[in-house]
């Protein structure tokens, strides 16, 4: 098995970006909207309940849409966020002397631009809480609220030069069917149905910043959102620690006993902790196999038989059945649809 980073293979459900696509569609003529999807490698029909979206596709759509709609938040907020706004945000937070000060600058900046929400930064329980407060009776935009909190986390991590631990994240909308996708975004416990959408940090992680140059700022903007939208931490949940282990082990070692040994616990303890995360060892293994297979089908012309072997199946027939169970389509049909939409 390849030893590439687990985040490289991560995918989210198509439902995870549905709010984003609705907002984007409102900014574009239909032909332009379909062109954005095509050039991002997304299927034009995103209604399949088992559809998957890769990090590469999210990054590509973000970069295209932010420029071509002249709204750097792509319709996610009531007021357009004009070009170069994010550059000015980075310039502001780069001058902060501490991560707490950076959070203050972040909230002040967005409070000048947003009409439908305002940020409140407060001290709470030996830490800081950045809260998004609606200015009226507003339906929650799930993707927009996720993205702006993740931008705050990404900026802090950029200033600290490491992924800053997150104490917890609350969302003021009901638990979605795609709740497991949020574990790939935030290195923290997630609460749904909270009074307000909030990201919490422990005070001890909000120390001084590391000086960032203008060249660093330019690279952050050029790479956005690749460097910060998916978490690189494997420590906040057992499920991501298991996924990291499986990404580095060969499939012959991809069993519960080997994972438990690598994580320094008994198999029974690992089972119990995965249950606390709402998952199982087999579900994590299948999700990784699915995501690796999706990437292999999208990139290059590797045969389906070779992909089946690469993700640990004894036969192509077994792989076909599993892939159809995971995604609602066969590997060959998935590849054809991707080719047709590219």
């Amino acid at each position: 098995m390849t030893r590439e980073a687990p985040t490289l293979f991560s995918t989210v459900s198509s439902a995870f970006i549905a709010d984003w696509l609705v907002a984007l569609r409102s900014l574009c003529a239909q032909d332009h909207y379909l062109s954005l999807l095509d050039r991002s490698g997304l299927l034009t029909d995103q209604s399949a309940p088992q559809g998957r979206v890769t990090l590469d596709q999210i990054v590509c759509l973000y970069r295209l849409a932010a420029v071509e709609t002249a709204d750097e938040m792509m319709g996610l907020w009531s007021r357009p966020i004009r070009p170069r706004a994010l550059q000015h945000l980075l310039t502001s937070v780069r001058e902060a002397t501490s991560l707490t000060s950076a959070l203050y600058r972040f909230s002040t900046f967005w409070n000048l631009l947003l009409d439908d929400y305002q940020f409140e930064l407060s001290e709470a329980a030996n830490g800081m809480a950045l809260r998004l407060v609606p200015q009226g009776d507003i339906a929650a935009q799930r993707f927009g609220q996720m993205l702006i909190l993740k931008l705050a986390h990404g900026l802090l991590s950029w200033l600290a030069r490491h992924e800053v631990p997150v104490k917890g994240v609350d969302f003021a909308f009901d638990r979605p069917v795609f709740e497991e996708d949020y574990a790939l975004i935030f290195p923290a416990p997630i609460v749904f149905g909270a009074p307000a959408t909030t990201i919490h940090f422990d005070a001890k992680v909000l120390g001084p910043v590391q000086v960032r140059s203008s060249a660093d700022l330019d690279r952050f903007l050029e790479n956005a959102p690749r460097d910060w939208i998916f978490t690189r931490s494997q420590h906040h949940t057992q499920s991501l620690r298991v996924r990291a282990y499986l990404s580095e082990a060969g499939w012959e070692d991809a069993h519960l006993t080997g994972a438990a040994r690598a994580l320094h616990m008994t198999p029974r303890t690992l089972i119990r902790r995965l249950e606390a995360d709402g998952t199982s060892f087999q579900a994590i293994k299948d999700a990784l196999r699915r995501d690796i297979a999706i990437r292999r089908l999208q990139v290059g012309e590797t045969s389906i038989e070779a992909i089946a072997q690469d993700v640990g199946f004894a036969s192509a027939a077994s792989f076909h059945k599993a892939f159809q169970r995971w995604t609602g389509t066969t590997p060959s049909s998935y590849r054809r649809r991707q080719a047709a939409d590219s």
Side-chain angles (χ1 to χ4, degrees):
M1 182 191 295
T2 180
R3 291 180 177 269
E4 293 174 88
T7 51
L8 178 64
F9 298 119
S10 297
T11 70
V12 293
S13 66
S14 57
F16 183 77
I17 68 167
D19 289 354
W20 181 20
L21 297 186
V22 169
L24 185 57
R25 188 180 288 118
S26 70
L27 296 182
C28 307
Q30 181 70 0
D31 287 349
H32 185 198
Y33 171 75
L34 294 177
S35 172
L36 287 170
L37 295 188
D38 286 343
R39 284 179 287 150
S40 303
L42 286 162
L43 300 176
T44 52
D45 177 13
Q46 286 293 314
S47 61
Q50 294 169 292
R52 306 300 300 179
V53 179
T54 67
L55 173 60
D56 286 344
Q57 291 169 330
I58 290 174
V59 169
C60 187
L61 181 59
Y62 177 99
R63 291 175 178 173
L64 291 171
V67 172
E68 296 182 19
T69 64
D71 180 353
E72 292 192 337
M73 280 289 174
M74 305 155 293
L76 295 170
W77 307 100
S78 61
R79 182 194 295 190
I81 306 302
R82 297 303 184 191
R84 300 179 70 85
L86 295 184
Q87 180 179 350
H88 287 291
L89 172 61
L90 261 71
T91 301
S92 175
V93 300
R94 186 164 66 100
E95 300 301 319
T97 56
S98 70
L99 297 185
T100 299
S101 173
L103 279 175
Y104 175 77
R105 288 170 179 257
F106 180 91
S107 62
T108 301
F109 177 90
W110 283 110
N111 286 347
L112 293 173
L113 297 187
L114 299 180
D115 292 331
D116 35 354
Y117 286 87
Q118 290 285 278
F119 274 112
E120 290 182 358
L121 182 63
S122 60
E123 295 185 18
N126 299 319
M128 301 295 295
L130 182 65
R131 182 176 297 105
L132 193 60
V133 180
Q135 304 299 291
D137 187 12
I138 303 168
Q141 219 291 356
R142 295 175 298 190
F143 192 89
Q145 293 192 12
M146 175 282 298
L147 187 63
I148 203 164
L149 289 194
K150 189 59 190 180
L151 178 58
H153 180 226
L155 284 175
L156 291 190
S157 298
W158 178 68
L159 289 171
R161 294 183 183 267
H162 63 84
E163 185 165 2
V164 172
V166 178
K167 190 174 182 179
V169 178
D170 305 334
F171 287 110
F173 48 80
D174 292 338
R175 184 183 306 275
V177 295
F178 50 87
E179 63 172 302
E180 65 182 22
D181 293 332
Y182 287 87
L184 297 171
I185 307 298
F186 291 104
I190 309 292
V191 173
F192 296 100
T197 291
T198 309
I199 187 167
H200 303 268
F201 297 97
D202 195 303
K204 65 184 179 183
V205 308
L206 297 177
V209 302
Q210 302 293 319
V211 176
R212 285 293 193 174
S213 67
S214 296
D216 290 337
L217 185 152
D218 291 340
R219 279 193 295 271
F220 185 94
L221 290 171
E222 289 170 5
N223 291 337
R226 180 176 300 280
D227 290 346
W228 48 268
I229 194 165
F230 279 16
T231 180
R232 297 180 186 276
S233 172
Q234 289 93 45
H235 303 293
H236 61 292
T237 62
Q238 294 297 335
S239 57
L240 286 189
R241 293 180 69 196
V242 169
R243 184 179 173 104
Y245 165 77
L246 292 174
S247 298
E248 296 176 357
W251 288 118
E252 66 276 7
D253 297 317
H255 46 69
L256 178 66
T257 302
R261 184 185 307 115
L263 299 179
H264 308 292
M265 65 185 73
T266 66
R268 184 179 296 276
T269 298
L270 179 56
I271 290 171
R272 186 173 65 252
R273 293 187 178 179
L274 291 177
E275 287 175 347
D277 277 353
T279 189
S280 68
F281 179 82
Q282 190 61 47
I284 297 167
K285 181 177 177 179
D286 284 345
L288 180 61
R289 286 169 141 182
R290 175 201 65 206
D291 292 350
I292 292 174
I294 284 173
R295 183 171 179 84
R296 295 284 185 261
L297 289 166
Q298 290 177 335
V299 179
E301 299 180 355
T302 306
S303 70
I304 290 174
E305 290 74 14
I307 294 172
Q309 185 176 16
D310 188 40
V311 295
F313 282 89
S315 69
S318 298
F319 171 59
H320 271 77
K321 291 179 182 178
F323 193 85
Q324 189 157 18
R325 185 176 70 252
W326 296 333
T327 65
T329 189
T330 64
S332 54
S333 295
Y334 185 90
R335 174 171 273 172
R336 283 196 299 270
R337 290 180 66 186
Q338 287 289 328
D341 280 0
S342 64

